[in-house]
Amino acid sequence: MTSLKLTRTLTLWPLIIMGLAYMTPLIVLGTFGIIAEASNGTVPMAFLITTFAMLFTANSYGIMARRYPVAGSAYTFASKSIDNRVGFMVGWTILLDYFFLPMVIWLIGAAYLGAQFPDVPQWIFLVGFVLLTTCINYVGVKTAAKLNSVLMIFQLAVMVIFVALSLGDVYGNGGITSIFSLEPFFNESSTLSIVLAGSSIAAYAFLGFDAITTFTEETIEPEKTVPKAILLCTLFAGVIYVAVGYTTQLVHPGAIFNDIDSAAFEIAANIGGNIFASIFLAAMITAQFMSGLSAQASVSRLLFAMGRDSVLSKKVFGFLHPKYLTPIGGIILSALAASLALFFDVMQAASLINFGAFVAFIFVNMSVIFTYVKDKKQGIATGSTVLNLVFPAIGTFVTFYLMTKLDLNALTVGSIWLGIGVLYLVYLTKGFTKPTPALHFEES
């Protein structure tokens, strides 16, 4: 019988679009309030710094994806280039991301619905999101996945209108000169340390650019196309975030809002009236719903991989629903974990996610450095020293520095999670006397 293989049909631009769709560009407005507050009204500057940091990391992801064109991403890169135990800890930290990502998505969606319907308790919207996405993931998400391209067009259209209305409002109040200002980048109440605190939160908007690596087996000339797509996707996202952040900060200087979690809805009503506010709300809720659906599906499949490989309980996580072929153990656990959203706000949950993301980014950069040094010692032809040593070193430093600017609670919880991971690894390896369990992501 002929074995089935994925067909290589994807080119550069479809890959970039899929990467942007995974990142949900509208999130620049969804998180505008919390970043404006953290950066003292310098959102575009916060995003500019984060884009700078992400480009170095994107370069490292591209290099490692060319070397190891399999799923698993940061976990795989660290395991193969540094050490299996380091890879396990990176994967363990990423698990924190997977658990909290749906929570942040649903928190943002609930906050925006709460802004439109203030008489309804936000926890009702939150529970509604969890129940609906859980039910859909229970029976499968193939149909929902097909809506990504349509959703991307809708998001970009709403953002273009938002930017146009913002510029029109600024022009109407101050003339052409008011459109050009450095105030959104620098102001009297902002310092570099404060802007960096905003940048550490802004990194949340970039999560997902590495998802492009999962399409390696379906890409034409993946060794060239995938790294280029990762870099361009990150660059385009950064341009979008800085531009939208700039125009939004122009139309609403400073960082004072009725509710920072739904600040963009307040601005949308001011610049476009109730009709545009309703369109914006529809776009935001649709984007959050689809993003939450994908995020919950992702964590359930990671838990399935861990259960199948006996890293977690095989009985609970390592099986599929007999009819729908969905990992119901992971789906249910992710839904239960989402209940923690009742005790967090958007900034706290986003900071926790960024802790895991920064750890992954640091070790992907370090993986490039370790690989380069190993190749040098073995006399293997290596690439450019700048791309394989200097840029990853800069990426490591900048990412680590941004991580130190995270909320103290995020650093504390993240460190505790890492400690639990170390203890669990000791247990799994019987005090490091047995091999470290390996996850086979490509099979999940």
Side-chain angles (χ1 to χ4, degrees), residues 112-124:
Y112 275 86
L113 281 173
Q116 175 67 15
F117 307 103
D119 294 332
V120 180
Q122 283 193 24
W123 68 266
I124 293 179

Side-chain angles (χ1 to χ4, degrees), residues 41-319:
T42 55
V43 171
M45 191 63 185
F47 272 113
L48 188 62
I49 292 173
T50 307
T51 302
F52 174 78
M54 291 301 104
L55 284 173
F56 287 110
T57 300
N59 169 70
S60 293
Y61 266 99
I63 291 171
M64 296 308 295
R66 187 184 299 118
R67 181 103 177 197
Y68 303 108
V70 296
S73 204
Y75 161 82
T76 300
F77 302 156
S79 294
K80 292 184 177 294
S81 61
I82 303 177
D83 184 85
N84 283 337
R85 289 161 292 189
V86 173
F88 179 91
M89 291 309 303
V90 171
W92 178 264
T93 309
I94 292 173
L95 187 59
L96 186 69
D97 271 18
Y98 276 89
F99 269 127
F100 278 89
L101 184 56
M103 183 191 303
V104 176
I105 292 167
W106 293 326
L107 276 170
I108 293 173
Y112 275 86
L113 281 173
Q116 175 67 15
F117 307 103
D119 294 332
V120 180
Q122 283 193 24
W123 68 266
I124 293 179
F125 296 124
L126 184 63
V127 171
F129 270 118
V130 175
L131 289 177
L132 187 56
T133 55
T134 298
C135 289
I136 294 175
N137 273 313
Y138 188 86
V139 299
V141 294
K142 286 186 177 180
T143 300
K146 294 177 182 178
L147 297 176
N148 264 347
S149 296
V150 176
L151 176 60
M152 174 58 56
I153 294 172
F154 186 33
Q155 285 186 69
L156 292 176
V158 170
M159 281 196 295
V160 168
I161 296 171
F162 196 103
V163 168
L165 290 173
S166 296
L167 291 175
D169 187 87
V170 173
Y171 176 78
N173 290 321
I176 188 67
T177 57
S178 61
I179 294 177
F180 305 96
S181 172
L182 292 178
E183 191 74 11
F185 292 93
F186 307 99
N187 60 53
E188 295 178 354
S189 61
S190 186
T191 64
L192 179 59
S193 179
I194 290 173
V195 174
L196 288 171
S199 296
S200 69
I201 300 171
Y204 170 75
F206 286 88
L207 300 186
F209 68 83
D210 57 312
I212 289 174
T213 61
T214 63
F215 297 100
T216 298
E217 294 180 55
E218 298 164 83
T219 302
I220 298 172
E221 296 185 330
E223 294 82 4
K224 296 179 180 179
T225 308
V226 170
K228 190 181 296 184
I230 292 174
L231 273 172
L232 289 176
C233 181
T234 306
L235 179 61
F236 291 161
V239 171
I240 291 171
Y241 296 154
V242 172
V244 176
Y246 173 75
T247 56
T248 308
Q249 197 75 86
L250 271 182
V251 79
H252 191 110
I256 299 176
F257 309 94
N258 293 328
D259 181 0
I260 63 169
D261 289 345
S262 59
F265 178 74
E266 176 186 335
I267 298 171
N270 290 336
I271 62 177
N274 291 332
I275 293 178
F276 178 67
S278 298
I279 295 173
F280 173 77
L281 179 65
M284 181 62 68
I285 297 306
T286 303
Q288 294 308 110
F289 173 73
M290 295 298 294
S291 185
L293 198 66
S294 299
Q296 188 184 30
S298 295
V299 68
S300 67
R301 281 145 182 81
L302 174 61
L303 292 170
F304 169 70
M306 296 179 78
R308 182 202 56 218
D309 296 329
S310 298
V311 176
L312 295 177
S313 170
K314 202 165 197 172
K315 184 180 293 186
V316 177
F317 300 106
F319 71 98

